Amino acid sequence: MTTIKKELLSDRAVQLFVDYLPSAMGSRGKDLARRYVKMLYGYISQNAALQQCSVASLIRAASQAASLDLEIDARGLAYLVPYRNKGTMEAQFQIGYLGLMELAYRSEKVKSITANCIYESERDKVTIRRVNGRYVVQHPFSFEPPKGKIIAAYATAEIEGPRSAP
């Protein structure tokens, strides 16, 4: 962990994240990059498998998240996931579903997103139909908690329609 801390908190690594983080542009760039690196170090320090990964793979994976301006923390926007590659542990970047939602909202083309699970007890209650080229999900609300295992999941999004030319 000492090596990881030394490499991550180095001026070279901080500058790398200044270059990758869109939010780090401007006069506060170095401060934002240092904050990002400190959060990253905290995340790694809580995961023994990530601590076994090469520092280069940790920085490479984290820089992918940084380039999307997604923080790697407990919120689940983005993750570093350890994998064994030819006997060596390497970290890989994986975007979380909340990160995908964040990017969709940032595009300003998405008005709303919902995601739900369907449980065994709801199998015959949920319907998905296609109406005028759109999928419509009818998932009745119930005060009773669902029973059984999750058997499916779905997401819907309302996207802004085409804009007229000025």
Side-chain angles (χ1 to χ4, degrees), residues 4 51 58 60 74 88 97 129 143:
I4 293 173
Q51 294 169 27
L58 290 166
R60 185 173 46 251
T88 304
Y97 82 93
R129 298 180 296 121
F143 286 106

Side-chain angles (χ1 to χ4, degrees), residues 15-149:
Q15 186 57 50
L16 177 77
F17 285 98
V18 167
D19 295 341
Y20 275 106
L21 282 163
S23 62
M25 295 178 140
S27 60
R28 295 188 45 227
K30 222 168 202 156
D31 291 337
L32 291 171
R34 274 194 195 94
R35 178 185 171 280
Y36 191 90
V37 169
K38 286 178 183 177
M39 288 175 57
L40 176 61
Y41 176 74
Y43 180 83
I44 294 167
S45 69
Q46 295 175 8
N47 186 315
L50 282 176
Q51 294 169 27
Q52 304 304 311
C53 295
S54 69
V55 177
S57 74
L58 290 166
I59 291 173
R60 185 173 46 251
S63 65
Q64 289 177 294
S67 71
L68 295 171
D69 221 355
L70 295 174
E71 293 178 344
I72 299 168
D73 59 16
R75 291 177 295 164
L77 298 174
Y79 300 94
L80 296 184
V81 180
Y83 286 97
R84 188 165 302 284
N85 183 14
K86 298 179 184 173
T88 304
M89 291 298 286
E90 292 184 352
Q92 291 184 10
F93 164 71
Q94 287 187 3
I95 190 167
Y97 82 93
L98 292 173
L100 291 172
M101 290 174 62
E102 172 70 21
L103 295 177
Y105 281 123
R106 280 188 210 162
S107 76
E108 297 183 358
K109 293 180 182 181
V110 174
K111 292 180 181 180
S112 68
I113 301 172
T114 60
N116 290 291
C117 295
I118 301 172
Y119 292 82
E120 288 174 330
S121 64
E122 301 174 309
R123 179 186 304 265
D124 299 325
K125 297 174 186 166
V126 177
T127 60
I128 302 173
R129 298 180 296 121
R130 191 168 178 155
V131 178
N132 297 327
R134 290 183 172 201
Y135 287 98
V136 177
V137 179
Q138 292 179 316
H139 191 158
F141 174 79
S142 174
F143 286 106
E144 296 297 318
K147 293 180 175 72
K149 294 180 182 178

